[in-house]
Amino acid sequence: AGDLAAYTVVWELRLPRVVLAAVVGAGLATVGVAVQAMVRNALADPFVLGISSGAAVGANAVILLGAFAGLGVWALSVSAFVSALAATAVVYAVARSAAHGLTPLRLILTGTALAYGFEALTTVMVFGAARGEAARSALMWLLGSLGGATWARVPVAAVTVAAGWVWLRARAEPLNALAM
């Protein structure tokens, strides 16, 4: 009975988290390098540009407010992705609206400023949550919890990361040229 319990804990709880963490880490590393090349700044990453903070707003809208509930298990992912795209568009539009045009430095500074704004919105949403468990879930998501990892979720993440890697790899030459 002890061996079965240990097997279940390792195989069904721990190992999916480890594998998902590796897949997500690979995806974040790939996106980070691509963003640095596109922005032509070694400091650029999804956190500095406000993309991650924008995703957090969307994820918290699902967790705390029940937004996009009609999408079922995909609500959190879709909301985070859509709000990350929206945050990217807002950062780009604000940085580009300056009199001297868009520069890598202006993009970084605009992204950093707007990231704090998105984080403030996320904080207001968490503290305004009427239900304690929802606020706890939102904070755990923000901290990068992999508590919900299952073997069923690993292939979805792996395919998404692999597709993104293949797409970026096919565009390696232009990205390398930008990095120069």
Side-chain angles (χ1 to χ4, degrees):
D3 288 341
L4 179 61
Y7 173 82
T8 301
V9 167
V10 170
W11 185 256
E12 295 298 327
L13 296 177
R14 301 290 185 217
L15 200 54
R17 291 177 187 180
V18 170
V19 173
L20 189 60
V23 168
V24 169
L28 289 172
T30 302
V31 168
V33 168
V35 167
Q36 287 175 352
M38 286 188 294
V39 176
R40 287 176 271 148
N41 190 318
L43 295 176
D45 71 8
F47 295 96
V48 171
L49 292 176
I51 299 167
S52 296
S53 300
V57 170
N60 278 322
V62 170
I63 296 169
L64 300 170
L65 307 175
F68 300 108
L71 295 174
V73 297
W74 298 103
L76 188 64
S77 299
V78 168
S79 181
F81 183 73
V82 168
S83 62
L85 286 178
T88 302
V90 168
V91 168
Y92 179 77
V94 171
R96 192 165 184 252
S97 68
H100 300 298
L102 183 67
T103 65
L105 179 61
R106 184 170 286 113
L107 192 61
I108 295 289
L109 292 175
T110 303
T112 301
L114 289 177
Y116 283 115
F118 297 139
E119 289 173 15
L121 182 57
T122 298
T123 302
V124 167
M125 290 169 68
V126 170
F127 283 118
R131 300 167 297 166
E133 185 58 34
R136 182 184 175 286
S137 294
L139 287 174
M140 291 304 290
W141 189 90
L142 289 170
L143 294 172
S145 173
L146 292 171
T150 62
W151 284 116
R153 293 182 183 198
V154 171
V156 174
V159 167
T160 303
V161 169
W165 185 86
V166 167
W167 188 81
L168 287 170
R169 183 70 182 114
R171 283 144 187 83
E173 268 188 52
L175 288 173
N176 283 338
L178 279 174
M180 294 306 226

